[in-house]
């Protein structure tokens, strides 16, 4: 059902944008809503600028139908904010609003969205020494700074045909996949609707001659705000804590990788203007796409090269995630790629590659080279995807469940008490005064305390099994309990009370107090877990520590158990239902030690010789070599 809704949304967005596009083109020409030549811009003739309205129409119609049909919840505030940005951008195309006015309106729209939706970039997910939830005094200014910068970075790259729309298509597709993965169906529908609406505009913008139309400032502000809202929604702490942290995905480096070229190129351009003593709002021709076009590169080839460069950055980030890099290393990797992007003399490299020629032969070779580079990057992405899919076999639990008709659950094995165990023995009856002499008392004791809470457990009255295997109960005296389970101790005490004619209607309740197991290794929260019942399973223990990390070896769980004074190791394969249920350590006992071994990928990170075929540094070096070789051959 979700797939059909997704396809329907995409098709409706595509067809509706295709239908409205000619009408908006005629309207723009009749009302002279065009972008003229001013010496800095690349077009030689006026071009209509209502492309953003065509995309907005496709998004609203398709997303609205999908949300209504699927009974989904998408805040109307989202479309209101997008419409305001589209309207203000169109006014800027006509009236040429000042940059300060645009910044003020962008800030106001973002503040309105954050105030009404209570959403912002509010969590760092353990980055930089464990930074987590951010206060509103930090998250609100941070969100404003990043999102306003992102909106204007998207506006900056709208200088050549297809670049801004092509980039937003790729970003929306990625966001759509992520939203569907985390079950944000409504936001995923919105992202897919954006993809479908962009396609007709992209085709006309890049390959159209008589029907060419620009996004205009309205379209770029619309898409920039939409990308900012996607970023805010993906960055919510309720998503990150439950998913991103456990999967080892750094949301902040992921966002930087998605918007790699716009952000880092924007930083380079703004820094260059400051260095030259010019206003950061003063337009110029120092953007990366301007440098490419100035070397006689056609618009669509320049667009292809820039989009390929952004995909290369995403592929680099994907390698870091695939091979288990921490969030800090993921961020360092993306920033390192960004610094290289800032420092490499792009103009000179491209200048040599193009060789400043307009001949058909060399221009064709240049186009072919760009296509080869794009195909190579696409192949790398497919290989990454294939590698990640292949690793699922070692990650998914109970892989043989489909081949089983039914599997018998093993019988519960009651825990036998041993020396050092601590238990509570509570005697109750009709008359509390008669049972009082047989019980211990503690003012701090309350019924219903959690036995997995160490502090509450220590406050409860109880008996510790001594070195002879005995406990001492008031009035009854010494009772040997070693080797007995809870039911046996309860029955023994009850029979003793009756046999000695001390209490006829006694009810004896026995509970564990300090029985525990220890979980170590590749789990989310290693530590000690307290057992409060018989039949406490290995799966329960692993769930209470947050499950295995993505680097844990699910096929080789080690459980150490003390038997006859010796530590006996048992191995459990969580990928097999039969192996789990047949294991003698499926039901845990006190003092068991569970160790989750790291998988081969995690183990390689601790070795000195990490530059092998499956290390991150090897593939980064190989990528750098291939890129250098490409520019050397085709310069």
């Amino acid at each position: 059902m979700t797939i059909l809704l997704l396809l329907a949304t995409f098709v409706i967005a595509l067809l509706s944008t295709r239908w409205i596009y000619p009408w908006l083109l005629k309207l723009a020409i009749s009302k002279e809503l065009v972008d003229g030549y001013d010496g800095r811009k690349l077009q030689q003739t006026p071009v209509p600028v209502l492309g953003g309205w065509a995309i907005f129409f496709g998004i609203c119609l398709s997303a609205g139908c999908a949300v209504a049909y699927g009974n989904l919840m998408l805040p109307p505030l989202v479309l209101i904010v997008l419409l305001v940005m589209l309207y203000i951008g169109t006014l800027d195309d006509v009236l040429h609003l000042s940059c300060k006015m645009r910044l003020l309106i962008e800030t106001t729209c973002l503040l309105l969205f954050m105030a009404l939706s209570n959403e912002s970039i509010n969590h760092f997910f353990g980055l930089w020494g464990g930074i987590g939830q951010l206060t509103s005094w930090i998250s609100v200014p941070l969100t404003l700074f990043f999102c306003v910068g992102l909106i204007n970075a998207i506006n900056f790259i709208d200088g050549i045909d297809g670049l801004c729309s092509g980039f937003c298509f790729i970003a929306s597709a990625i966001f759509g996949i992520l939203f569907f993965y985390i079950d944000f169906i409504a936001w995923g529908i919105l992202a897919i609707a954006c993809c479908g609406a962009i396609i007709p505009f992209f085709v006309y913008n890049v390959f159209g001659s008589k029907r060419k139309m620009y996004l205009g400032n309205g379209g770029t502000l619309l898409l920039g705000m939409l990308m900012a809202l996607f970023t805010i929604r993906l960055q919510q702490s309720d998503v990150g804590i439950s998913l991103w942290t456990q999967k080892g995905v750094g949301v902040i480096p992921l966002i930087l990788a998605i918007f790699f070229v716009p952000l880092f190129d924007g930083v380079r351009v703004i820094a260059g203007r400051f260095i030259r003593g010019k206003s950061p709002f003063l337009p110029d021709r120092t953007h990366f796409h301007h440098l490419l076009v100035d070397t006689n590169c056609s618009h669509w080839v320049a667009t292809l090269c820039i989009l390929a460069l952004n995909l290369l950055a995403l592929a680099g980030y994907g390698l870091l995630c695939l091979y288990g890099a921490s969030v800090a290393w993921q961020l360092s990797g993306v920033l390192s790629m960004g610094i290289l992007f800032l420092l490499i003399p792009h103009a000179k490299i491209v200048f040599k590659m193009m060789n400043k020629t307009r001949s058909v032969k060399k221009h064709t070779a240049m186009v072919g080279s760009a296509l080869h580079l794009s195909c190579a990057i696409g192949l790398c992405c497919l290989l990454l995807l294939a590698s990640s899919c292949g690793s699922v076999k070692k990650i998914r639990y109970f892989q043989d469940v489909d081949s089983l008709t039914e599997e018998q659950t093993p019988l519960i094995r009651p825990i036998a008490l041993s020396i050092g165990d601590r238990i509570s023995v509570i005697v109750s009856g009709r008359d509390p005064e008669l049972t009082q002499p047989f019980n211990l008392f503690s003012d701090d004791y309350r019924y219903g305390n959690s036995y997995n809470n160490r502090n509450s457990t220590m406050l409860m009255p109880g008996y510790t099994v001594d070195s002879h295997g005995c406990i001492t109960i008031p009035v009854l005296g010494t009772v040997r309990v070693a080797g007995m389970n809870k039911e046996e101790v309860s029955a023994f005490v009850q029979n003793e009370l009756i046999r000695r004619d001390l209490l006829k209607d006694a009810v004896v309740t026995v509970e564990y107090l300090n029985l525990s197991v220890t979980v170590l290794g590749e789990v989310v929260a290693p530590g000690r877990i307290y057992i409060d019942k018989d039949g406490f399973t290995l799966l329960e223990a692993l769930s209470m520590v947050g499950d295995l990390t993505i680097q844990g070896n699910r096929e080789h769980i080690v459980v150490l158990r003390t038997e006859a004074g010796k530590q006996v190791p048992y191995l459990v394969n969580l990928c097999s239902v039969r192996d789990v249920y047949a294991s003698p350590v499926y039901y845990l006992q006190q003092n068991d030690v569970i160790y989750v071994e790291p998988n081969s990928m995690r183990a390689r990170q601790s070795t000195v010789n990490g530059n092998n075929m499956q290390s991150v540094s090897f593939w980064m070096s190989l990528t750098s070599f291939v890129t250098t070789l490409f520019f050397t051959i085709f310069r």
Side-chain angles (χ1 to χ4, degrees):
M1 185 64 180
T2 303
I3 300 298
L4 292 177
L5 187 62
L6 171 66
L7 293 176
T9 302
F10 182 83
V11 172
I12 293 174
L14 190 149
L15 295 179
S16 57
T17 304
R18 169 64 180 84
W19 175 80
I20 198 67
Y21 187 93
W23 297 94
L24 291 174
L25 180 64
K26 294 179 182 178
L27 177 63
I29 294 175
S30 63
K31 300 298 183 181
E32 296 185 353
L33 299 174
V34 296
D35 187 18
Y37 178 74
D38 62 0
R40 179 184 62 87
K41 298 178 180 177
L42 299 176
Q43 78 273 12
Q44 302 298 320
T45 58
V47 180
V49 290
L50 292 184
W53 287 93
I55 293 176
F56 182 72
F57 178 81
I59 292 175
C60 286
L61 184 61
S62 59
C65 293
V67 169
Y69 179 79
N71 195 23
L72 303 174
M73 185 63 183
L74 183 66
L77 178 63
V78 174
L79 297 180
I80 294 175
V81 170
L82 295 179
L83 180 59
V84 170
M85 295 304 297
L86 179 61
Y87 178 74
I88 295 302
T90 305
L91 282 182
D92 186 28
D93 289 325
V94 177
L95 303 178
H96 303 292
L97 301 177
S98 66
C99 295
K100 294 180 180 180
M101 177 61 68
R102 283 175 47 186
L103 288 176
L104 178 61
I105 295 173
E106 293 167 7
T107 303
T108 303
C109 288
L110 286 170
L111 285 174
L112 179 66
F113 177 81
M114 287 188 287
L116 297 181
S117 66
N118 196 28
E119 293 182 356
S120 61
I121 300 176
N122 58 7
H123 211 284
F124 272 16
F125 311 118
L127 188 63
W128 292 326
I131 300 177
Q133 187 79 30
L134 303 177
T135 64
S136 58
W137 295 102
I138 299 177
S139 64
V140 172
L142 177 65
T143 304
L144 287 177
F145 176 78
F146 179 82
C147 290
V148 169
L150 177 60
I151 293 171
N152 287 276
I154 298 296
N155 179 262
F156 282 170
I157 65 173
D158 187 37
I160 58 176
D161 296 340
L163 179 56
C164 183
S165 56
F167 175 82
C168 290
F169 173 85
I170 295 174
S172 297
I174 296 173
F175 278 115
I177 295 172
L178 294 174
F179 285 138
F180 277 104
Y181 182 70
I182 60 179
D183 290 330
F184 282 5
I185 305 300
W187 284 88
I189 289 292
L190 183 62
I192 298 304
C194 182
C195 291
I198 285 176
I199 290 178
F201 171 83
F202 179 85
V203 174
Y204 281 123
N205 182 246
V206 176
F207 304 106
S209 55
K210 296 181 180 180
R211 290 191 172 187
K212 180 186 290 289
M213 191 157 55
Y214 286 167
L215 284 171
N217 287 327
T220 57
L221 293 183
L222 164 73
L223 293 177
M225 177 59 75
L226 187 57
M227 297 301 109
L229 297 184
F230 286 160
T231 300
I232 293 174
R233 193 66 193 97
L234 193 69
Q235 191 74 14
Q236 293 308 294
S237 59
D238 58 340
V239 180
I241 293 176
S242 61
L243 179 64
W244 306 129
T245 303
Q246 295 183 13
K247 300 301 181 181
V249 176
V251 184
I252 293 177
L254 172 60
I255 296 299
L256 294 179
I258 292 175
F259 301 113
F260 181 80
V261 171
L263 289 179
F264 286 102
D265 187 52
V267 170
R268 182 183 62 82
V269 170
I270 295 298
R273 291 172 183 174
F274 273 115
I275 292 174
R276 294 191 300 270
K278 296 182 179 180
S279 170
F281 306 116
L282 184 64
D284 54 26
R285 290 177 56 85
T286 60
H287 293 285
F288 187 39
H289 55 267
H290 286 124
L291 301 180
L292 286 175
V293 173
D294 288 343
T295 58
N296 298 322
C297 179
S298 65
H299 282 212
W300 76 273
V301 173
T303 296
L304 186 62
C305 290
I306 294 175
L307 295 181
L309 180 62
N310 207 97
L311 288 175
L312 186 63
L314 275 168
Y317 170 79
L319 279 172
L320 293 173
C321 289
L322 183 62
Y323 289 99
S326 65
V327 177
W329 277 107
Q330 293 172 27
L331 180 61
S332 299
V334 175
L335 292 179
S336 298
M337 290 186 290
I339 292 173
L340 289 176
F341 177 78
L342 296 176
L343 298 181
I344 293 177
H346 304 287
K348 292 183 179 180
I349 294 178
V350 177
F351 182 83
K352 293 180 180 180
M353 184 182 66
M354 304 300 182
N355 202 22
K356 272 194 171 181
T357 180
R358 295 189 181 184
S359 65
V360 176
K361 181 178 179 180
K362 291 190 176 182
H363 183 73
T364 303
M366 174 191 67
V367 173
S369 302
L371 289 174
H372 291 161
L373 177 61
S374 302
C375 292
I377 292 174
L379 181 60
C380 290
C381 294
L382 289 176
L383 290 175
L384 285 176
L385 182 61
S387 300
S388 62
C389 293
S391 63
V392 172
K393 294 181 179 180
K394 296 185 178 181
I395 295 177
R396 187 165 63 89
Y397 295 155
F398 310 141
Q399 296 177 22
D400 58 349
V401 69
D402 295 334
S403 62
L404 300 177
T405 54
E406 59 181 50
E407 188 72 14
Q408 176 105 20
T409 304
L411 296 176
I412 295 179
R413 302 174 183 176
I415 297 176
L417 296 175
S418 59
I419 296 173
D421 291 345
R422 189 166 175 266
I423 60 174
S424 68
V425 180
I426 301 175
V427 180
S428 56
R430 295 180 182 178
D431 190 349
E433 292 184 359
L434 295 179
T435 60
Q436 181 177 352
F438 304 100
N439 291 318
L440 298 176
F441 293 95
S442 172
D443 294 337
D444 295 321
Y445 173 71
R446 297 289 185 272
Y447 289 99
N449 279 338
S450 171
Y451 295 140
N452 279 316
N453 187 316
R454 176 65 172 169
N455 295 327
S456 63
T457 301
M458 294 304 296
L459 293 175
M460 295 179 64
Y463 305 92
T464 301
V465 181
D466 61 21
S467 58
H468 302 289
C470 301
I471 60 174
T472 302
I473 300 177
V475 181
L476 286 180
T478 301
V479 177
R480 181 173 178 81
V481 297
M484 302 171 67
N485 57 48
K486 287 197 305 182
E487 294 182 357
E488 292 172 343
V489 174
S490 175
F492 179 82
V493 173
Q494 186 178 28
N495 292 334
E496 282 295 304
L497 291 173
I498 296 175
R499 186 180 65 82
R500 299 184 189 184
D501 201 21
L502 297 174
L503 203 61
K504 298 297 184 182
D505 59 348
V507 176
V508 181
T509 304
V510 180
E511 298 292 348
Y512 303 130
L513 295 185
N514 74 332
L515 275 62
S516 64
V517 298
T518 303
V519 185
L520 304 172
E522 289 294 333
V523 294
V524 173
R528 177 177 294 181
I529 300 174
Y530 291 91
I531 302 175
D532 61 350
K533 64 175 183 177
D534 288 320
F536 188 78
T537 67
L538 173 64
L539 300 179
E540 288 180 282
L542 293 177
S543 68
M544 293 181 70
V545 294
D547 199 6
L548 279 66
T549 65
I550 199 67
Q551 293 90 8
N553 187 351
R554 286 145 174 79
E555 298 177 335
H556 202 268
I557 308 297
V558 180
V559 179
L560 299 176
R561 174 168 293 176
T562 302
E563 296 180 353
K566 298 181 180 180
Q567 287 285 349
V568 180
Y570 293 91
L571 301 181
V572 182
N573 180 10
L574 295 182
C575 297
S576 170
V577 176
R578 288 191 177 94
D579 190 81
V580 171
Y581 282 159
S583 174
V585 293
Y586 175 72
Y587 291 112
L588 298 176
Q589 297 180 8
Q590 71 271 40
N591 303 321
D592 282 352
V593 178
I594 305 169
Y595 173 63
V596 180
E597 292 186 349
N599 57 21
S600 57
M601 175 188 68
R602 183 69 165 175
R604 282 194 300 269
Q605 295 178 359
S606 63
T607 62
V608 177
N609 184 22
N611 56 342
N612 50 55
M613 286 293 291
Q614 294 182 334
S615 69
V616 178
S617 58
F618 172 82
W619 289 105
M620 291 184 69
S621 301
L622 181 61
T623 302
S624 176
F625 171 75
V626 171
T627 304
T628 305
L629 183 63
F630 169 81
F631 284 119
T632 302
I633 295 175
F634 296 104
R635 63 183 178 180

